[in-house]
Amino acid sequence: MESTTSSPNQQDTANRRKSGRTTRQPALFSQEEHLGSIINGSAKRKRTPNGINGNAPEDVSDGERSSGSEEDHDEESPDEEELREQRRAVRNKRSASKPVAKKARMTNGVETPLAIRTAPSAKSRPTKAAKVQQARARKSQVNQEGLYAEVFGRGQTGEAAAAEWLSDYEKNNVQAMRDMVNFIIKCTGCDLQVESHDIEDVDNVSGKLGDLQEEYQQGNTADYPLTSRLKQYSAFRSVLVEFFDALIKTMHASTILYSDTTLYENMQEWLGTMSSSSIRPFRHTATVISLTMSSAFCDLAKGLDDSIVRTRSQLNGEQKKKSVNKGRVASIQQNLQAAEEKLDSVQTLLRDGFDVVFVHRYRDVDARIRAECVTALGYWILTYRQMFLEGSYLRYLGWVLSDTVAQTRGEVIKQLSKMFKDRNNRPALRAFTERFRPRIVEMAEADADPGVRASTVELLELLRQAEFLEPDDIDAVGKLIFDTEPRVRKAVAPFFVANIEDLYSSKLEDVDEDQLNEVLPAEDTDSDYLTPKRSWIMFKSLAEILTAYDGDAEEEGPRNGSNFLIVNDLDSRYMLATQSMFPQMDALKDWEALAGYLLHDHSSSRKSGGNAEIRNLYRLQEGEEAILLEVLDYTVKLHILELSEPTQEKKVRRTQKTKDDILEKQELTAHNLAQIVPKLLSKFGSVPAAASVILRLEHLLNVDLINDLQSSTTTYLSLLDDINKQFMSHSDRNVLAEASLALLNAQGYEQAKDATEGKVQDLWDSTIESLHARLKGQNVSARGTINPKLLTEIVHTVTRIANLASISDSTGNFETKPSHSKSTKKSQRSSQVSQSTTLELLLDLAKRGVADEDTTPQFVEAEDELTPTVLKAVLFYFMWKIQALRTAVTSKATASSISDSVTQLSSIYISFLETLTLISQSRHTLDPIRLLALSTMLDLATLFSTLRQPISKNKRVVELPPEILAELAPLLSSIPPALTTLISRSHSAAEKHFARKARKTLEAEPSSSKRRKHGDDDDPTAPPAEPELDDQAPPEDDSDASESSDGNEERDDPDSKAQAVLVAEKDLCDLTGKIVLALIAGVLKPRGIEEKVLRNRGRLGSNYREVVSFLDQGQKKGKAAPSKGQSTNGKMGTTQKKETGKEKSARTVIEDDDEVEEIEDVIEEDGEEDLERRGLVEERTPEEEEREGEEEQVVNGDEVEDEIMGD
């Protein structure tokens, strides 16, 4: 071992240079004898530094390991210095590619490696520079020849490739030009090439390219490198643009651009011809290259122009010196003249490129080529303003504003925004703005693409800052704060807030500053919110602008029905406008000041006095308070949301102090809100619209955040009294809904729960007593027997009952008779109404929904307004009863009590179901009351089906006893076939009505002869046909009749058409949703109605398709999993006998026949021919048959009008 280690040491000592340091050979771990050094006997043997097989030192790379004989190794072994340099290079290479490893632990002089798991290296997304470099070094081009391989295969930069090509051009210009032309052709995706004689024959360029095009068209030209998404063409455009940009600048630096003009002329000849090619790859690629070279010329012209300015300044400085250095002046003049000549040449080349390529390609049929031209022109204008910032070039951008493709229009807006951001460009853009401003405003209002509209609004904000907009334009853009598109509202918010600030400033222009400080001191956050502030003038300006814009919008009407808000039960347009304004308007952050402004008595500002002029600046006019109330509602909501959910840029790690500050702000908000809401109700509670908004403010109150428990309870109870007062004093449905929701929220606060229940019971007693009093002595179930005024009061009372039933258990109040005071007990004892429960009265009132011909139109409207509220109240009663029944089962109530409750519920359900059937049969298929009755019927059947499922409570599953299930049989039974037929007919009519309104095509229904074949006409369970009502749309729903009677004005109104389509779609989806739930619950047994619902799932729009998709999900959940012994895929259960084809077909036919006999005959409606044959409808006139034939063509797709695409 010693001799082995000393020999190389002596040799190295002899060969190395002498040094003052003493070195010693390190002991190598691989050369020591120890256990575990050989893990596998078959390991690969390697040569050690001394020629003995073993492991090589770890710090020597594979390239340094010898594979030859020992003599060769001794002869070629490097000296110590070279080995040291090699090892250092290897260490540097490893350290650059791998993280530094931890130093091994030493144990008894021997290194022990640490068991450290290396962290997995996350694959970072390649940067743009990495993609470009990868595109420069494509593996497929490494071994290729030509300029294409130099640019895309050698990994060199564009400057290097351009310099190398210019070097080849100086050696052989024809061959180099041939390579350049072949390179351009190769970039189009064409593998064809030109020869040297084609380059020399300049006059035959178009002929040669024509031959190439004909040959190229025979292949696949759909995809080419510039537009391809293949990985091999990643960053292709960047490398191509970089090369030609570097080529022009290299030609300029080497002066060959000016000394050899034929070079660029030949290139321009080929590119200009290719840019006019009929083949898109040739045309697009040549256009991009030509535009890139023109952009490079702009950079050169900008640099030359700056150089000329500096040179002239230097020349003037030299000439002003006392002792003029004539030689230096002459040299400067010579340089100046050379620069000017170069600039003239570059400008000439720019004009030629613009005339040859841009003028023809900016209106190309391909939108991508048009967008390329717009982008290039914008760059030219921004880079070389001296030439391109003129009307003769700017007009092209204005013309492209009317492009048919949104991408191109958006690119123009993007380039114009860049120009207007530079204030130095604005004077030169004034004439352009005057010419094309109306088109820009029109794009902001009504462009088809929301992104383009948002970008245009941002551009108009720059025009407003430059004072290029007229007052009408400012108002037109400001009204977009009510737009339906969130992106447009967000973009217009800075514009709108700037208008408010301008109005605010104009109000204060003529006001004396001292007098203003006296009446409205500077903002003070610690002052009382009721104290007048200067922000009140800002709120007044906001109210004025919102009122003006909203009034104009109502008078003019929306220009586009899809661009303006049509909100019913959702957030109002003012709230959505506030959502966009809130981040931009600082005054809205102080919502307490806005509340104080609304609570202020503005009648005092009418009084004369020294400060009356200033008070008039913030005095509210009629209608402005209601607008600011809605703004206040959404401002408080956004303020609370901002405190609870900070935005992304604020999502940092919160300290305890930050959390305490947020909690303090939340408590302050809750305290102020509890004080402000009662005051607002006291002032504005008499107005229904204002009351509903203020009640929404109460929903935002969190009582738990109020510190003083006693004070908070007292304040909240007082607020509940105000809510009860609003509930009983208003008949507006919105106020009742908001008050009910406020009471429901109040029940969630533990400290006020008992008091809230007492308040709710007081409301129950008052409303029930009022209902009984109004129905005293009246024929409750007979339609048209109550005068309309009293009937309206009854409607309001029943509406309050329905709202109370939606938030609290109504079973006790409905099933018990009302108690009366002693003074009235004797007089009401004989009254039949006083002896009835509230539920019995509601069931009798529901019978008034059965339509008849005796009721006059004066009573019909009030009667039809009563029926929906009654059905809603009774439906909530059944919901509470089902919940009570499930609770009784889980609480182990006695079987007798449950049985009595089920018996009573069954009789009520049967009676109510009969009433619903009569209502449905007495009305036409699309009558809203009939659709509501059918929906209520389906809801009840679906609700009762939930009793079949086991009841789980506290991880314990409880099933209904068999005797209870037997008594529930009437409730759990499926919907009768007669009612199924009514549902099917209404669904078919709703489908046809929506298809007619939306101009959609329906699949043809089975013929009447096929239905007769299966016994459809002889169905004994089907209800009698409704010839005068069924199968006919109501007059107001018939599109043809309504349009012909309303005149051409309404017929052409897009808003009315859009609204009619939405209403028809809503009715169809509502009914279909109920049917789908009933099918999933198994209460609609016939499969025929399921097939009818699914028949047009792909033809009636995405909303209908989504509703029907739940039917597929329900079927998947309802399928039972296969048992262990059964085979589902043929791999198990091999003992099953395989059915023959005849057995399969026979069984299928039998099953299908069974289904048809017991299913299809119930659900298909009678056709017109069947009804005529049975004498149930009158014979149609030829005119009616012709008109109905035209309707059939529109619905069934036999005739499709061309103007559908315009819609």
Side-chain angles (χ1 to χ4, degrees):
M1 180 65 70
E2 292 179 359
S3 63
T4 303
T5 57
S6 62
S7 177
N9 189 20
Q10 294 173 357
Q11 184 177 359
D12 292 341
T13 305
N15 293 335
R16 71 179 182 181
R17 292 189 297 270
K18 299 296 182 180
S19 175
R21 295 184 301 172
T22 59
T23 60
R24 64 183 180 84
Q25 178 74 16
L28 300 178
F29 178 76
S30 60
Q31 296 176 358
E32 296 179 0
E33 296 181 357
H34 56 82
L35 295 177
S37 61
I38 300 178
I39 300 176
N40 191 350
S42 62
K44 189 174 182 180
R45 302 179 64 188
K46 298 182 180 179
R47 184 176 297 276
T48 59
N50 57 4
I52 303 175
N53 294 330
N55 294 330
E58 293 182 357
D59 58 346
V60 180
S61 64
D62 294 337
E64 299 175 39
R65 293 172 182 162
S66 174
S67 60
S69 62
E70 185 178 354
E71 290 80 12
D72 294 339
H73 172 75
D74 295 335
E75 292 176 1
E76 299 176 1
S77 60
D79 58 8
E80 184 66 21
E81 289 293 333
E82 293 177 354
L83 288 174
R84 190 179 296 113
E85 290 296 332
Q86 293 173 358
R87 292 167 184 170
R88 185 182 296 114
V90 171
R91 285 196 299 269
N92 292 339
K93 183 177 180 181
R94 290 179 177 177
S95 62
S97 59
K98 297 181 181 180
V100 179
K102 292 187 176 181
K103 189 175 181 180
R105 184 176 57 185
M106 302 293 293
T107 305
N108 296 329
V110 180
E111 294 182 356
T112 304
L114 298 177
I116 299 177
R117 183 189 304 169
T118 57
S121 58
K123 291 184 178 180
S124 60
R125 190 174 182 179
T127 61
K128 183 177 180 180
K131 291 182 178 179
V132 171
Q133 183 59 32
Q134 185 178 3
R136 292 193 192 116
R138 253 191 261 158
K139 295 180 179 180
S140 60
Q141 299 296 326
V142 172
N143 299 322
Q144 302 297 323
E145 298 294 334
L147 184 57
Y148 190 89
E150 294 293 335
V151 176
F152 293 100
R154 303 288 189 266
Q156 53 186 346
T157 61
E159 291 82 0
E164 185 175 349
W165 181 82
L166 283 178
S167 177
D168 295 340
Y169 181 83
E170 292 176 353
K171 297 176 183 178
N172 190 334
N173 54 5
V174 175
Q175 184 176 354
M177 184 57 64
R178 182 199 63 190
D179 293 342
M180 174 61 69
V181 174
N182 287 332
F183 169 73
I184 296 173
I185 296 174
K186 179 72 173 177
C187 289
T188 65
C190 177
D191 294 330
L192 304 176
Q193 294 184 351
V194 298
E195 301 298 335
S196 298
H197 62 84
D198 298 321
I199 302 299
E200 295 173 350
D201 189 4
V202 181
D203 297 333
N204 193 34
V205 171
S206 58
K208 180 59 180 177
L209 285 176
D211 297 339
L212 292 177
Q213 293 175 22
E214 292 180 2
E215 190 173 353
Y216 179 61
Q217 278 182 331
Q218 298 177 1
N220 183 15
T221 61
D223 196 14
Y224 52 99
L226 271 181
T227 60
S228 177
R229 295 187 177 182
L230 297 178
K231 188 176 181 180
Q232 60 177 339
Y233 294 119
S234 176
F236 178 87
R237 190 182 190 280
S238 301
V239 176
L240 182 65
V241 169
E242 179 192 27
F243 170 73
F244 279 98
D245 180 78
L247 177 63
I248 296 299
K249 294 178 180 178
T250 305
M251 291 168 61
H252 162 74
S254 63
T255 68
I256 195 173
L257 180 65
Y258 313 102
S259 60
D260 188 358
T261 57
T262 57
L263 168 59
Y264 182 76
E265 291 176 358
N266 289 333
M267 292 178 59
Q268 187 65 19
E269 181 70 23
W270 285 91
L271 288 172
T273 306
M274 291 180 64
S275 66
S276 301
S277 172
S278 59
I279 300 179
R280 184 171 301 177
F282 279 43
R283 192 171 68 251
H284 189 186
T285 305
T287 302
V288 169
I289 294 173
S290 181
L291 296 176
T292 300
M293 292 193 296
S294 296
S295 299
F297 284 137
C298 285
D299 294 335
L300 295 179
K302 180 66 169 59
L304 289 171
D305 192 74
D306 294 342
S307 176
I308 290 173
V309 172
R310 290 194 301 268
T311 305
R312 285 176 179 171
S313 177
Q314 186 181 5
L315 179 62
N316 294 333
E318 289 291 335
Q319 291 176 346
K320 290 180 181 179
K321 291 182 178 179
K322 293 182 180 181
S323 58
V324 179
N325 189 340
K326 296 182 180 180
R328 182 173 178 79
V329 170
S331 176
I332 294 176
Q333 290 177 342
Q334 184 178 2
N335 293 337
L336 179 60
Q337 182 179 2
E340 289 176 347
E341 292 177 355
K342 291 181 178 179
L343 181 60
D344 292 339
S345 300
V346 171
Q347 289 179 345
T348 302
L349 295 176
L350 274 173
R351 293 189 184 94
D352 293 342
F354 186 87
D355 295 337
V356 172
V357 178
F358 181 88
V359 172
H360 301 286
R361 298 279 68 79
Y362 88 96
R363 51 186 179 180
D364 194 277
V365 294
D366 189 356
R368 286 172 295 191
I369 297 178
R370 300 198 300 269
E372 296 274 6
C373 293
V374 170
T375 305
L377 180 58
Y379 181 80
W380 301 344
I381 295 173
L382 293 172
T383 303
Y384 193 35
R385 300 171 59 251
Q386 293 80 353
M387 178 177 178
F388 288 100
L389 192 58
E390 295 181 358
S392 59
Y393 295 102
L394 290 171
R395 60 181 179 174
Y396 291 98
L397 294 178
W399 291 337
V400 183
L401 285 173
S402 301
D403 196 277
T404 57
V405 179
Q407 176 189 358
T408 310
R409 298 194 303 270
E411 188 62 33
V412 177
I413 297 297
K414 179 181 177 181
Q415 298 302 324
L416 289 176
S417 299
K418 292 180 180 179
M419 297 175 197
F420 279 98
K421 285 180 181 178
D422 189 352
R423 296 180 179 272
N424 298 326
N425 296 334
R426 292 178 180 178
L429 292 170
R430 180 178 292 274
F432 169 82
T433 306
E434 290 293 332
R435 181 177 180 182
F436 294 101
R437 185 186 65 248
R439 172 56 186 161
I440 297 175
V441 175
E442 182 185 6
M443 289 177 62
E445 288 182 293
D447 195 276
D449 187 84
V452 174
R453 295 182 62 206
S455 302
T456 307
V457 169
E458 294 174 356
L459 172 61
L460 288 168
E461 168 62 16
L462 297 175
L463 295 181
R464 188 199 63 81
Q465 295 175 5
E467 300 181 353
F468 286 173
L469 294 181
E470 298 293 333
D472 293 341
D473 299 331
I474 294 176
D475 293 339
V477 178
K479 292 175 186 177
L480 296 178
I481 197 69
F482 297 134
D483 197 87
T484 55
E485 183 59 44
R487 284 180 289 179
V488 177
R489 294 200 306 271
K490 183 178 180 180
V492 83
F495 188 99
F496 184 81
V497 173
N499 293 344
I500 297 174
E501 293 174 351
D502 291 343
L503 180 59
Y504 170 81
S505 302
S506 65
K507 287 178 177 291
L508 300 180
E509 283 182 356
D510 301 331
V511 178
D512 183 62
E513 186 67 24
D514 296 335
Q515 188 179 4
L516 182 65
N517 291 331
E518 180 182 354
V519 180
L520 299 175
E523 300 293 336
D524 185 5
T525 56
D526 297 333
S527 63
D528 186 13
Y529 62 87
L530 296 174
T531 304
K533 300 178 178 61
R534 293 192 182 183
S535 59
W536 287 14
I537 303 178
M538 184 73 74
F539 297 143
K540 169 64 177 176
S541 303
L542 171 63
E544 286 182 357
I545 292 181
L546 287 176
T547 304
Y549 287 172
D550 186 48
D552 295 342
E554 290 179 356
E555 292 177 4
E556 300 174 3
R559 299 188 182 183
N560 190 339
S562 62
N563 291 342
F564 283 79
L565 296 180
I566 304 175
V567 182
N568 190 6
D569 295 332
L570 303 177
D571 292 335
S572 70
R573 56 197 308 175
Y574 302 111
M575 293 182 180
L576 296 178
T578 305
Q579 182 182 15
S580 303
M581 289 187 297
F582 185 78
Q584 306 293 335
M585 192 172 179
D586 295 334
L588 290 179
K589 304 296 176 63
D590 188 8
W591 68 270
E592 291 92 346
L594 178 56
Y597 179 51
L598 289 168
L599 292 172
H600 180 72
D601 185 10
H602 294 280
S603 60
S604 61
S605 60
R606 301 176 183 268
K607 300 178 181 178
S608 60
N611 299 326
E613 181 182 358
I614 296 180
R615 292 193 182 97
N616 288 333
L617 293 178
Y618 59 81
R619 183 168 60 87
L620 289 174
Q621 302 294 333
E622 183 180 359
E624 294 177 349
E625 291 176 336
I627 293 176
L628 289 182
L629 275 174
E630 298 200 36
V631 173
L632 174 63
D633 177 26
Y634 218 92
T635 299
V636 176
K637 183 182 298 184
L638 293 174
H639 175 74
I640 295 175
L641 186 64
E642 193 177 53
L643 291 178
S644 59
E645 298 180 6
T647 54
Q648 292 290 337
E649 53 269 16
K650 294 183 180 179
K651 283 188 177 180
V652 295
R653 187 174 182 180
R654 294 180 177 179
T655 60
Q656 186 61 37
K657 184 178 182 302
T658 305
K659 296 179 181 179
D660 295 340
D661 293 341
I662 293 176
L663 180 60
E664 183 180 355
K665 292 179 180 178
Q666 292 175 341
E667 292 174 350
L668 179 62
T669 301
H671 178 270
N672 292 338
L673 199 59
Q675 300 293 330
I676 290 173
V677 170
K679 296 178 181 179
L680 290 174
L681 283 175
S682 176
K683 183 177 181 180
F684 302 104
S686 59
V687 181
S692 62
V693 175
I694 299 171
L695 289 172
R696 282 200 297 268
L697 269 177
E698 192 278 337
H699 302 166
L700 305 175
L701 176 60
N702 188 353
V703 183
D704 296 335
L705 292 175
I706 302 178
N707 291 329
D708 190 357
L709 181 61
Q710 183 177 0
S711 175
S712 65
T713 304
T714 305
T715 303
Y716 198 67
L717 291 179
S718 176
L719 180 58
L720 289 178
D721 291 335
D722 295 335
I723 295 174
N724 282 15
K725 180 180 177 181
Q726 297 296 322
F727 188 88
M728 295 300 301
S729 60
H730 285 286
S731 59
D732 184 79
R733 296 180 185 273
N734 293 329
V735 177
L736 296 178
E738 299 297 342
S740 301
L741 185 57
L743 293 173
L744 181 62
N745 293 336
Q747 295 176 3
Y749 300 120
E750 191 63 31
Q751 56 192 10
K753 185 176 182 180
D754 296 337
T756 304
E757 292 178 353
K759 301 291 183 183
V760 172
Q761 188 58 45
D762 292 341
L763 293 177
W764 270 117
D765 296 340
S766 300
T767 53
I768 290 177
E769 184 178 353
S770 174
L771 178 65
H772 281 260
R774 286 185 169 87
L775 291 177
K776 177 185 176 182
Q778 301 291 337
N779 190 347
V780 181
S781 60
R783 185 180 176 89
T785 57
I786 303 177
N787 66 78
K789 184 177 180 181
L790 178 59
L791 193 59
T792 301
E793 296 178 358
I794 295 174
V795 170
H796 297 162
T797 304
V798 176
T799 303
R800 294 190 185 97
I801 292 176
N803 280 276
L804 287 175
S806 66
I807 63 172
S808 64
D809 192 352
S810 60
T811 55
N813 296 286
F814 277 13
E815 295 174 353
T816 57
K817 298 178 181 180
S819 59
H820 305 284
S821 60
K822 295 181 179 179
S823 58
T824 60
K825 187 173 182 179
K826 184 176 180 180
S827 59
Q828 294 182 348
R829 183 174 302 170
S830 60
S831 174
Q832 181 181 358
V833 173
S834 63
Q835 301 299 323
S836 304
T837 63
T838 304
L839 178 60
E840 292 172 349
L841 289 180
L842 292 175
L843 293 175
D844 289 339
L845 287 174
K847 297 177 181 178
R848 304 176 72 93
V850 180
D852 55 20
E853 298 179 356
D854 299 333
T855 307
T856 61
Q858 181 182 4
F859 290 84
V860 169
E861 183 178 357
E863 294 284 358
D864 289 348
E865 190 178 357
L866 173 64
T867 303
T869 58
V870 173
L871 298 185
K872 180 180 177 182
V874 177
L875 179 61
F876 279 120
Y877 166 78
F878 281 107
M879 291 181 182
W880 288 111
K881 288 295 292 184
I882 292 175
Q883 182 177 351
L885 182 60
R886 297 172 71 90
T887 304
V889 173
T890 54
S891 60
K892 296 182 179 181
T894 59
S896 59
S897 62
I898 297 177
S899 177
D900 295 340
S901 177
V902 169
T903 303
Q904 180 187 6
L905 186 61
S906 299
S907 61
I908 296 173
Y909 172 67
I910 293 173
S911 174
F912 186 58
L913 196 61
E914 292 176 354
T915 303
L916 293 176
T917 304
L918 292 175
I919 293 174
S920 302
Q921 291 177 346
S922 65
R923 297 175 180 269
H924 55 73
T925 51
L926 291 182
D927 187 280
I929 304 298
R930 169 167 172 160
L931 295 178
L932 179 62
L934 295 177
S935 298
T936 305
M937 196 183 306
L938 291 168
D939 284 338
L940 287 175
T942 305
L943 281 172
F944 283 117
S945 69
T946 59
L947 295 175
R948 299 195 192 101
Q949 304 172 1
I951 305 172
S952 60
K953 183 177 181 181
N954 298 329
K955 299 181 179 180
R956 182 172 59 90
V957 178
V958 180
E959 295 186 0
L960 293 176
E963 59 273 12
I964 300 298
L965 285 175
E967 296 182 2
L968 284 174
L971 302 177
L972 301 180
S973 60
S974 302
I975 296 178
L979 297 181
T980 304
T981 303
L982 295 176
I983 295 171
S984 176
R985 289 175 178 174
S986 290
H987 183 267
S988 298
E991 276 187 334
K992 294 177 181 178
H993 182 57
F994 173 59
R996 185 184 302 114
K997 291 290 184 181
R999 296 182 179 272
K1000 294 182 180 296
T1001 305
L1002 297 179
E1003 285 192 10
E1005 295 185 1
S1007 60
S1008 58
S1009 60
K1010 181 178 179 181
R1011 292 196 300 267
R1012 285 196 301 268
K1013 179 180 177 181
H1014 298 298
D1016 191 28
D1017 295 338
D1018 300 328
D1019 181 16
T1021 62
E1026 305 152 303
E1028 71 281 356
L1029 296 175
D1030 222 16
D1031 302 328
Q1032 294 180 5
E1036 65 271 17
D1037 290 337
D1038 193 330
S1039 60
D1040 295 336
S1042 62
E1043 288 176 1
S1044 61
S1045 61
D1046 293 342
N1048 295 331
E1049 230 176 274
E1050 278 186 31
R1051 190 172 187 174
D1052 297 335
D1053 186 8
D1055 299 328
S1056 300
K1057 289 183 178 181
Q1059 186 176 5
V1061 172
L1062 291 176
V1063 171
E1065 185 178 19
K1066 175 183 176 298
D1067 293 340
L1068 174 62
C1069 291
D1070 285 345
L1071 181 60
T1072 306
K1074 308 293 185 182
I1075 294 174
V1076 167
L1077 291 177
L1079 287 171
I1080 295 175
V1083 293
L1084 274 179
K1085 288 299 183 182
R1087 297 182 185 175
I1089 194 169
E1090 178 180 344
E1091 296 173 359
K1092 175 177 286 190
V1093 169
L1094 295 173
R1095 182 186 303 155
N1096 296 292
R1097 64 185 305 175
R1099 297 173 177 263
L1100 293 176
S1102 58
N1103 292 330
Y1104 184 83
R1105 183 170 58 252
E1106 288 298 323
V1107 171
V1108 175
S1109 66
F1110 285 92
L1111 189 59
D1112 298 333
Q1113 299 175 10
Q1115 289 175 347
K1116 292 179 181 178
K1117 293 180 180 179
K1119 289 182 179 180
S1123 61
K1124 295 182 180 180
Q1126 294 177 343
S1127 173
T1128 58
N1129 56 4
K1131 295 181 180 180
M1132 298 178 63
T1134 55
T1135 58
Q1136 296 177 350
K1137 182 179 179 181
K1138 187 175 181 180
E1139 294 180 331
T1140 63
K1142 294 182 179 180
E1143 292 172 346
K1144 281 185 178 180
S1145 59
R1147 181 175 54 82
T1148 304
V1149 170
I1150 293 173
E1151 291 178 354
D1152 292 343
D1153 290 342
D1154 292 340
E1155 290 178 2
V1156 169
E1157 287 178 1
E1158 57 185 52
I1159 295 169
E1160 288 189 359
D1161 57 344
V1162 195
I1163 58 105
E1164 295 293 348
E1165 59 178 312
D1166 293 338
E1168 287 289 333
E1169 298 177 0
D1170 302 327
L1171 296 175
E1172 290 176 6
R1173 179 176 51 80
R1174 292 161 62 182
L1176 297 177
V1177 295
E1178 298 178 356
E1179 294 184 1
R1180 294 169 294 177
T1181 62
E1183 290 79 11
E1184 292 177 348
E1185 293 180 353
E1186 182 178 358
R1187 184 176 66 251
E1188 292 179 4
E1190 293 175 356
E1191 294 178 1
E1192 287 277 337
Q1193 290 179 356
V1194 173
V1195 174
N1196 295 329
D1198 295 337
E1199 176 183 321
V1200 179
E1201 297 181 0
D1202 295 336
E1203 57 194 40
I1204 293 177
M1205 296 183 64
D1207 295 341

